[in-house]
Amino acid sequence: DIQMTQSPSSLSASVGDRVTITCRASQGISTWLAWYQQKPGKAPKSLIYTAYSLQSGVPSRFSGSGSGTDFTLTISSLQPEDFGTYYCQQYRSYPLTFGGGTKVEIK
Amino acid sequence: QEHLVESGGGLVKPGGSLRLSCAASGFTFSDHYMSWIRQAPGRGLEWVSYITGSANSIHYAESVKGRFTISRDNAKNSLYLQMNSLRAEDTAVYYCASGVRGAFDIWGQGTLVTVSS
């Protein structure tokens, strides 16, 4: 199985800050990686697919990069509505696996 | 508007069975692969099962293999998860999710399954 490791597990940042979340795969997954945002009590929302492609309707302050084993999700200017938990997910092979999540809090 | 709505969750005793349903609308259901993904209370996301649009390929997580069965009815725009031999560790919110490009673009609101005596 491919293990997905996210860091940090949580962070607190101010509005306007640049925020970076990293995701590492235990083996190469090319760009078969997605990012999701989940707010408390809500279903996850798709942000990015194939490592860097922005889902329709997602603000351009979100961006993704990386390939192989190392990936990043960047929020260029953190907004109040960006709080929540972010998950990466690989779809290179089964079983599909998620990272443990990164909880983002607004200072 | 693309929409998924799960139903069928509830309280069940260990060893019992439950059938979850997911109703799709607003997109061509048969073009989309579907998955069930669960989230135990206070925990992260765990993929459970996957089925292609034509149901010609199915995969399960090892933790549910032999106990859960995924199926779909494209004529009814519906996805199902038959869960047998339920255990306490199956307690979670179960989401159905769909996509066409590898990731899961559309998610339902989830249905809670509680396994407890």
Side-chain angles (χ1 to χ4, degrees):
Chain A
D1 297 5
I2 298 175
Q3 310 302 319
M4 305 301 292
T5 303
Q6 283 183 238
S7 61
S9 57
S10 66
L11 66 91
S12 181
S14 300
V15 172
D17 283 354
R18 182 182 182 88
V19 169
T20 298
I21 298 168
T22 66
C23 178
R24 174 164 288 176
S26 61
Q27 58 187 268
I29 59 169
S30 183
T31 56
W32 301 118
L33 183 101
W35 289 96
Y36 304 93
Q37 176 197 60
Q38 186 179 34
K39 295 189 175 182
K42 300 294 187 182
K45 172 188 173 184
S46 178
L47 298 175
I48 285 169
Y49 61 98
T50 57
Y52 54 82
S53 300
L54 208 63
Q55 281 284 5
S56 175
V58 173
S60 58
R61 62 181 180 274
F62 291 92
S63 64
S65 65
S67 67
T69 60
D70 294 309
F71 302 86
T72 60
L73 173 70
T74 300
I75 308 173
S76 60
S77 178
L78 191 69
Q79 298 301 301
E81 61 267 30
D82 297 337
F83 73 93
T85 302
Y86 292 78
Y87 295 93
C88 61
Q89 178 235 327
Q90 67 82 19
Y91 48 99
R92 169 64 179 83
S93 65
Y94 296 96
L96 306 181
T97 46
F98 290 86
T102 296
K103 186 174 183 179
V104 174
E105 295 180 331
I106 310 295
K107 278 183 186 175
Chain B
Q1 180 76 348
E2 300 161 333
H3 210 46
L4 294 171
V5 178
E6 302 92 339
S7 60
L11 175 63
V12 61
K13 290 181 168 53
S17 297
L18 213 53
R19 189 193 195 209
L20 305 183
S21 298
C22 171
S25 59
F27 61 96
T28 305
F29 183 68
S30 58
D31 286 348
H32 283 233
Y33 51 79
M34 302 292 297
S35 267
W36 289 98
I37 296 160
R38 68 186 180 183
Q39 187 169 36
R43 306 295 296 273
L45 300 169
E46 179 190 14
W47 169 78
V48 173
S49 185
Y50 165 98
I51 186 169
T52 54
S54 60
N56 62 352
S57 181
I58 286 174
H59 298 275
Y60 296 99
E62 202 60 41
S63 58
V64 307
K65 201 172 288 184
R67 300 188 298 123
F68 290 11
T69 302
I70 192 171
S71 62
R72 64 191 296 160
D73 185 338
N74 287 344
K76 295 183 177 179
N77 287 346
S78 292
L79 174 74
Y80 306 101
L81 186 68
Q82 177 67 43
M83 304 187 295
N84 298 330
S85 303
L86 283 161
R87 306 166 179 166
E89 54 265 35
D90 296 318
T91 294
V93 173
Y94 285 72
Y95 296 101
C96 63
S98 75
V100 293
R101 295 171 292 202
F104 296 112
D105 307 322
I106 310 166
W107 293 68
Q109 86 288 350
T111 187
L112 176 63
V113 172
T114 303
V115 184
S116 175
S117 54

